[in-house]
Amino acid sequence: MNDAVLSQTLLRPLNARRAVNLSVKTWFYVAAIGHAIFLTYILAVFYPPIAESGLYGLKGLHLPTGFREGDTLGNLASVSHVLLAVIVIGGGPLQLIPSVRRYAPRFHRWLGRSYLLAAVITSVAGMYMTWTRHTFGNLVSQISITMDGILILVFAFLAVRTAMTKRIAEHRRWAMRLFLAASAVWFFRVALMGWAMLTGGWGIEWKSFTGPFLYALGFGQYLLPLAMLEWYFHCQKRGAGQGTQIAFVSTLIPLTVFMAIGIFAATMGLWLPRI
Ligand code: HEM
């Protein structure tokens, strides 16, 4: 690139469409860093004891229930849930990086199939544990997380169906929805810790793990990211107005800042101390 082209590129006004793309890219890379930290935590905390002692490795782990004598199916659900979480949390962001898709299409396909399978098993196991063992929260938390499990199954089915019928643009949209629904549990941890850091835990009853903030977050962990995604799709349309695009960017920037605070708080308060 010569100097004239370079300076023209740098001086090009930041129009609304470019601002949308830039804000989404920034959001994505901040989220990817946060996923990488959660992935490190899962690998470091759950893998060594389970590799050493199988189902008994769940004993003493930081889980609401973990190992329960005589409940083989529940223990299997718990083990498969935390082991496959690695593919869901590690694979999700990788699937969305355009250069991975472009330069390693076979890896993208292979990871895509593993991701889908892992997301489906993890959510079925999660729903099983939610309704057969008392894990955390109350009925509201059980219903809100179950809705996420159902959304994961529906989005996974639609992502596969559109890929099989070669409707690639639609496939991409369903795959992105699946990514956000499958990462809802990550958003939950990040938003919870960010909120606790900023407000001292307003609306949270820690002992019973209930309270208005937790109820809102139970649904918000997937409804808010999914709503932002639909808004992003709308901003990408040809006829999308500049006003809508600027409103989108002005909403996404503070949400990204909050997410970054939450990643820091979750890393320092939840993940790093247990690694
Ligand atoms: C598909 C994305 C999901 C991932 C990546 C994931 C990941 C995890 C991880 C890493 C844990 C261990 C707790 C921690 O240290 O943070 C966990 C626990 C748990 N998750 Fe999920 N989860 C997912 C979806 C779900 C869904 C949809 C449900 C329920 C419908 C669910 C229910 C549970 C339950 C009940 C536990 C406690 C397990 C126990 O006490 O043995 N999860 N999850």
Side-chain angles (χ1 to χ4, degrees):
M1 202 185 281
N2 65 38
D3 284 357
V5 176
L6 182 65
S7 61
Q8 254 184 9
T9 311
L10 291 176
L11 294 176
R12 208 167 55 195
L14 186 68
N15 66 36
R17 190 171 292 276
R18 281 181 66 212
V20 167
N21 291 338
L22 194 65
S23 63
V24 169
K25 254 190 202 159
T26 309
W27 173 87
F28 174 74
Y29 284 109
V30 174
I33 293 170
H35 276 66
I37 302 171
F38 190 34
L39 171 71
T40 311
Y41 157 79
I42 299 170
L43 281 171
V45 170
F46 297 113
Y47 270 66
I50 292 172
E52 203 179 297
S53 325
L55 291 182
Y56 291 96
L58 287 171
K59 275 186 176 170
L61 285 180
H62 236 285
L63 285 166
T65 41
F67 186 83
R68 205 174 263 178
E69 202 66 60
D71 180 14
T72 311
L73 206 53
N75 294 336
L76 275 173
S78 183
V79 160
S80 56
H81 192 81
V82 291
L83 293 185
L84 291 173
V86 160
I87 303 176
V88 178
I89 295 301
L94 271 183
Q95 280 302 88
L96 296 186
I97 297 175
S99 51
V100 174
R101 286 206 300 274
R102 206 172 311 128
Y103 299 113
R106 278 182 59 186
F107 173 71
H108 174 72
R109 274 199 296 276
W110 175 87
L111 182 59
R113 287 181 195 125
S114 318
Y115 178 84
L116 274 159
L117 197 64
V120 166
I121 299 174
T122 309
S123 71
V124 171
M127 286 190 275
Y128 178 79
M129 288 188 289
T130 301
W131 293 102
T132 61
R133 321 169 121 197
H134 184 72
T135 47
F136 41 76
N138 59 11
L139 188 64
V140 181
S141 355
Q142 286 174 302
I143 291 172
S144 58
I145 189 66
T146 300
M147 272 179 66
D148 182 43
I150 294 168
L151 283 179
I152 292 172
L153 300 182
V154 172
F155 294 163
F157 170 74
L158 291 167
V160 171
R161 207 175 67 168
T162 45
M164 283 170 73
T165 49
K166 302 264 183 283
R167 286 178 280 158
I168 300 307
E170 271 183 75
H171 166 70
R172 277 194 57 223
R173 283 198 290 274
W174 286 117
M176 283 192 225
R177 291 178 185 121
L178 174 61
F179 165 65
L180 292 183
S183 284
V185 296
W186 176 84
F187 287 117
F188 185 93
R189 287 154 175 80
V190 164
L192 171 70
M193 296 308 284
W195 181 260
M197 191 172 132
L198 294 177
T199 69
W202 186 88
I204 303 172
E205 194 53 63
W206 289 103
K207 222 168 161 205
S208 56
F209 211 57
T210 54
F213 177 73
L214 287 179
Y215 301 146
L217 185 58
F219 294 98
Q221 61 180 320
Y222 46 90
L223 291 183
L224 180 62
L226 286 169
M228 288 303 290
L229 181 66
E230 295 309 315
W231 196 3
Y232 171 55
F233 290 154
H234 177 73
C235 287
Q236 281 188 315
K237 284 186 188 151
R238 234 168 239 277
Q242 286 221 346
T244 312
Q245 292 172 328
I246 291 167
F248 172 81
V249 174
S250 316
T251 310
L252 188 59
I253 290 174
L255 285 176
T256 307
V257 172
F258 177 61
M259 187 173 77
I261 294 172
I263 291 170
F264 172 76
T267 305
M268 302 312 286
L270 275 184
W271 300 324
L272 211 54
R274 294 182 195 157
I275 289 181

